[in-house]
Amino acid sequence: MALYIITQSSFYAILCASFVGTNTCSLLLWYAVHRRRTDIGQFFFQSFRISFLLPKIQNIPQRTINLCLIFSTLIPIISAILSTAFLHDAVDEHKEFYNFFIDFKDHEVSGYIFRAILGTLCFISVFGFPAFIAVVCGTIYYHYSELLSGFCGKITDYGKKNICHELSLKLMKCHEFLCRMSLEIEDTLSLIVLILLCCQTLSMYIALSSLVLFNFNNAPASIKWQCIPAVTLIPASLIGVNLCASRISSQIECIQASLQTVRNNLFAKSETHGKIVSFLGMMMETKFAPMTAGGVLELKKGLILTVFGSLFTYGLLIINIKNE
């Protein structure tokens, strides 16, 4: 297959087309979230109900969530304003994208304002909105992992006591509720996270190709500012979602280990605990739903290395194409 060196002018056109593609991905993300908005709200209601049955859980500090939302809004807006302010150095294809193919004069104030507004809307759509959804998904994953952590602590506390039939039934009901909740979370967020992952990864690829093909030092200021959210906000949101989701699998393993410990202790006692042991065995056999992105990728810490490893490989490919 022949490899062609992309001229700067044609690359601007491809860059604008890619930007349109990422906006389309954001539109799909909005549709997926809008379709599941009721289920997302229902999760917080259910978690509020079950939190009364568990030891005090540690939620994400409200200040942390607010800071994430503020940065998710400010970084795209500031980058958009500064990127469009330096468009006078860009070629016509790039200007026309933000001019919406309206013929503005180079130093016309209305042209600056129009480009700033359109650029801000585009940046919020491409970078801000996905980052906001990432904060919501990360909050849900983290809160659910804390519910699992509280349940694990409850199992440990019951194991230290003389556990009775009534307590084992309460544990079983709570375990069943948490398992059902994991299925609902997976069903609700799976597609959303998959679209989010595709959208964010595409934006990072575009930013990487922009910086490599232009050479960072020689790249126009408008391109540099356009890449700022892609190299700061997007990696942070992807890492945050994966870390929050990976806590769930860790807590599930902790629950399984705690159940096994309590069961082993009861085995060593007397036959009067036969029903309780069977209840514990049933809980151990009941599997929680793994958190995935569309059922394609399981959200674990290793996924972060996979995404950035593919990004590194893609960067090397672009460099090789450029050097041909």
Side-chain angles (χ1 to χ4, degrees), residues 83 211 215-229 231:
S83 178
L211 295 177
N215 287 330
F216 180 77
N217 294 329
N218 300 326
S222 59
I223 295 296
K224 291 180 179 179
W225 281 108
Q226 184 170 309
C227 295
I228 290 297
V231 299

Side-chain angles (χ1 to χ4, degrees), residues 192-210:
I192 294 175
V193 173
L194 177 63
I195 299 175
L196 177 67
L197 183 63
C198 294
C199 183
Q200 302 285 64
T201 306
L202 178 60
S203 296
M204 285 195 297
Y205 285 164
I206 293 172
L208 177 64
S209 58
S210 302

Side-chain angles (χ1 to χ4, degrees), residues 260-274:
Q260 184 65 56
T261 301
V262 175
R263 191 184 183 198
N264 291 342
N265 292 337
L266 291 176
F267 265 128
K269 293 183 179 179
S270 64
E271 296 295 330
T272 57
H273 297 290

Side-chain angles (χ1 to χ4, degrees), residues 19-126:
F19 217 57
V20 173
T22 52
N23 274 281
T24 304
C25 289
S26 296
L27 182 62
L28 293 175
L29 180 62
W30 173 86
Y31 175 75
V33 173
H34 180 74
R35 194 166 61 93
R36 291 291 190 174
R37 66 189 186 282
T38 304
D39 297 329
I40 293 174
Q42 187 68 19
F43 162 77
F44 289 104
F45 175 72
Q46 290 180 350
S47 62
F48 180 75
R49 284 174 51 199
I50 196 173
S51 61
F52 287 105
L53 304 175
L54 301 173
K56 188 176 181 180
I57 60 175
Q58 182 180 0
N59 293 320
I60 300 179
Q62 191 65 37
R63 182 180 299 177
T64 303
I65 297 176
N66 291 337
L67 284 176
C68 292
L69 294 177
I70 289 172
F71 281 119
S72 299
T73 305
L74 287 182
I75 291 177
I77 291 176
I78 294 173
S79 300
I81 293 174
L82 292 174
S83 178
T84 53
F86 290 102
L87 274 178
H88 58 273
D89 294 332
V91 297
D92 293 337
E93 288 84 356
H94 202 196
K95 290 180 182 177
E96 288 175 357
F97 176 79
Y98 288 105
N99 286 339
F100 211 65
F101 300 98
I102 300 174
D103 188 17
F104 290 108
K105 294 181 180 179
D106 287 341
H107 299 287
E108 192 174 349
V109 176
S110 59
Y112 282 122
I113 296 174
F114 185 86
R115 286 193 293 268
I117 294 174
L118 184 60
T120 301
L121 292 176
C122 287
F123 276 52
I124 289 177
S125 173
V126 174

Side-chain angles (χ1 to χ4, degrees), residues 186 193-194 197 291-300 303 306-307:
E186 167 64 11
V193 173
L194 177 63
L197 183 63
M291 299 298 110
T292 66
V296 179
L297 299 170
E298 189 170 354
L299 298 177
K300 291 186 175 181
L303 181 61
T306 302
V307 171

